[in-house]
């Protein structure tokens, strides 16, 4: 007698979960396409579809076509920068097992910004490649310092201790940046605008120089997904499962540092993207980093692109830098997380 082959217990729910996650990623991809189209179409100057098509064909004969031509690299920078920050935040939260981790909150972006400011003021850095290497070095040193300070005392590196150490470090480094900029009128205007964080200065040249670094950061981060799943179980259990805990944590952290350092070099220290996006994606995708990391990259690209559109529309014909918009979105969310985490630790 023959019958239908039954799937082993648990296989069907896993398939449904995988299908739901795939649909979630597909939905995020569709939203990103819509956001990119809106970013090209909307801004300080209204443009029509004919102007958009002409601009993509290489024409820039009218003001409208020139506006679209300028928005294309700006939009691409918003996409890659947002994806890098969202992915970096998810990795940092996984490495530290800290729901409050974010390149901005932990002071990593500020460390990268200080390094670039010192490089410009003291060594005359002018190329994007020099900015990127300097920013990555500053981000790495700051990340290590914050983790060491946050690990001192009883209980080790708790979420609140890391957040406080990052906030204190960020405040101190911001003061140093101000001291550097105030004494140099020749670079003050450029650095002050860059410190806010924005993608208005996006260009194909900058994208071409930063993309190789971001590719390395993405490879390291995505490659650490299984290790982050193991680390989420605790160091002892991860080691028992055969995970080399120190190596796994160092590799993932390096990927996150490269992503946020390179992004800061070309877009300035944009905060809160890496905090908000991973939490939102966990609600949609779940906690499995094999799905969470690509979802966070897509979510970060969507958030930064939409924030850039909002900054252009709310103050037309002027604009609000994207770093201000993300701060307005992320600050209340951060306060909510801190209050919830404090209640859990009491």
């Amino acid at each position: 007698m023959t019958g239908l082959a039954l799937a082993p217990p648990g296989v069907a729910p896993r398939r449904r979960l995988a299908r739901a996650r795939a649909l979630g990623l597909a939905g995020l991809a569709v939203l990103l396409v819509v956001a990119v189209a809106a970013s090209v179409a909307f801004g300080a100057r209204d443009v029509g579809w004919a102007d958009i098509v002409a601009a993509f064909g290489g024409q820039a004969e009218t003001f409208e076509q020139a506006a679209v031509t300028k928005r294309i690299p700006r939009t691409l920078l918003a996409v890659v920068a947002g994806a890098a920050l969202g992915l970096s935040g998810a990795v940092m939260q996984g490495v530290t097992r800290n729901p409050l981790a974010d390149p901005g909150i932990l002071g990593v972006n500020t460390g990268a910004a200080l390094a670039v400011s010192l490089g410009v003021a003291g060594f005359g850095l002018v190329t994007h490649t020099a900015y990127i290497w300097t920013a990555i070095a500053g981000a790495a040193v700051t990340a290590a310092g914050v983790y060491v300070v946050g690990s001192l005392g009883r209980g080790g590196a708790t979420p609140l201790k890391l957040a406080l150490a990052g906030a204190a470090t960020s405040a101190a480094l911001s003061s140093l940046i101000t001291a550097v900029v105030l004494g140099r009128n020749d670079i003050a205007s450029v650095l002050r605008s860059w410190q806010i964080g924005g993608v208005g200065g996006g260009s194909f040249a900058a994208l071409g120089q930063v993309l190789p670094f971001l590719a390395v950061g993405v490879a390291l981060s995505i490659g650490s997904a299984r290790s982050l799943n193991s680390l989420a179980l605790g160091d002892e259990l991860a080691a028992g499962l055969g995970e080399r805990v120190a190596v796994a944590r160092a590799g993932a952290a390096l990927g996150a540092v490269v992503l946020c350092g390179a992004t800061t070099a070309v877009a300035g220290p944009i905060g809160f993207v890496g905090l908000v996006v991973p939490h939102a994606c966990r609600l949609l995708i779940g906690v499995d980093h094999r799905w969470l990391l690509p979802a966070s990259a897509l979510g970060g690209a969507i958030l930064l692109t939409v924030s850039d559109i909002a900054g252009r529309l709310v103050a037309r014909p002027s604009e609000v830098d994207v770093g201000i918009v993300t701060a307005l979105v992320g600050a209340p969310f951060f306060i909510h997380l801190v209050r919830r985490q404090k209640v859990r630790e009491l």
Side-chain angles (χ1 to χ4, degrees):
M1 179 179 177
T2 60
L4 294 176
L6 297 178
V11 172
R14 286 199 296 270
R15 287 176 179 172
R16 287 196 295 269
L17 180 59
R19 190 179 300 113
R21 287 169 169 169
L23 288 174
L25 286 180
L28 289 174
V30 171
L31 288 176
L32 178 58
V33 171
V34 173
V36 168
S39 179
V40 174
F42 300 117
R45 181 183 293 272
D46 294 327
V47 298
W49 287 109
D51 296 313
I52 295 174
V53 172
F56 272 98
Q59 298 182 34
E61 299 174 356
T62 66
F63 287 112
E64 289 76 12
Q65 293 171 4
V68 174
T69 302
K70 185 177 180 181
R71 289 174 195 169
I72 294 173
R74 175 178 187 152
T75 299
L76 292 176
L77 180 58
V79 169
V80 298
L85 291 173
L87 180 56
S88 176
V91 172
M92 284 187 176
Q93 290 173 14
V95 167
T96 61
R97 297 201 298 273
N98 179 1
L100 303 178
D102 164 77
I105 292 171
L106 296 184
V108 179
N109 284 349
T110 310
L114 175 61
V116 172
S117 299
L118 289 173
V120 172
F123 302 96
L125 301 184
V126 294
T127 66
H128 283 104
T129 302
Y131 284 5
I132 293 167
W133 281 112
T134 304
I136 291 174
V141 171
T142 305
V146 169
Y147 190 81
V148 170
V149 172
S151 301
L152 298 177
R154 188 171 61 182
T158 65
L160 282 179
K161 286 169 63 178
L162 282 174
L164 291 173
T169 301
S170 182
L173 297 183
S174 296
S175 298
L176 291 176
I177 293 173
T178 301
V180 171
V181 173
L182 284 178
R184 294 292 301 273
N185 292 329
D186 54 329
I187 62 174
S189 60
V190 175
L191 287 180
R192 281 174 184 161
S193 177
W194 172 79
Q195 288 168 28
I196 298 174
V199 294
S203 65
F204 288 113
L207 285 167
Q209 290 176 329
V210 77
L211 281 177
F213 294 90
L214 295 181
V216 172
V218 168
L220 289 171
S221 299
I222 297 296
S224 69
R226 291 183 180 274
S227 298
L228 291 175
N229 284 343
S230 298
L231 293 176
L233 302 174
D235 290 358
E236 293 184 2
L237 186 53
L241 294 173
E243 193 70 57
R244 298 170 64 185
V245 174
V247 174
R249 180 170 281 122
L254 178 60
V257 165
V258 170
L259 287 173
C260 66
T263 301
T264 301
V266 295
I270 300 172
F272 294 106
V273 175
L275 173 70
V276 174
V277 169
H279 284 281
C281 289
R282 286 188 188 94
L283 298 176
L284 178 67
I285 298 294
V287 297
D288 188 338
H289 286 86
R290 293 173 297 177
W291 295 89
L292 177 62
L293 296 186
S296 296
L298 288 171
I302 294 169
L303 176 59
L304 201 62
T305 304
V306 171
S307 297
D308 183 43
I309 297 171
R312 280 183 266 162
L313 294 180
V314 297
R316 289 201 300 181
S318 184
E319 64 180 57
V320 178
D321 287 316
V322 69
I324 297 175
V325 179
T326 58
L328 292 174
V329 174
F333 186 77
F334 174 63
I335 294 171
H336 166 70
L337 285 179
V338 170
R339 288 176 60 85
R340 187 175 67 178
Q341 189 66 31
K342 183 176 181 179
V343 170
R344 287 180 177 178
E345 293 190 355
L346 288 177

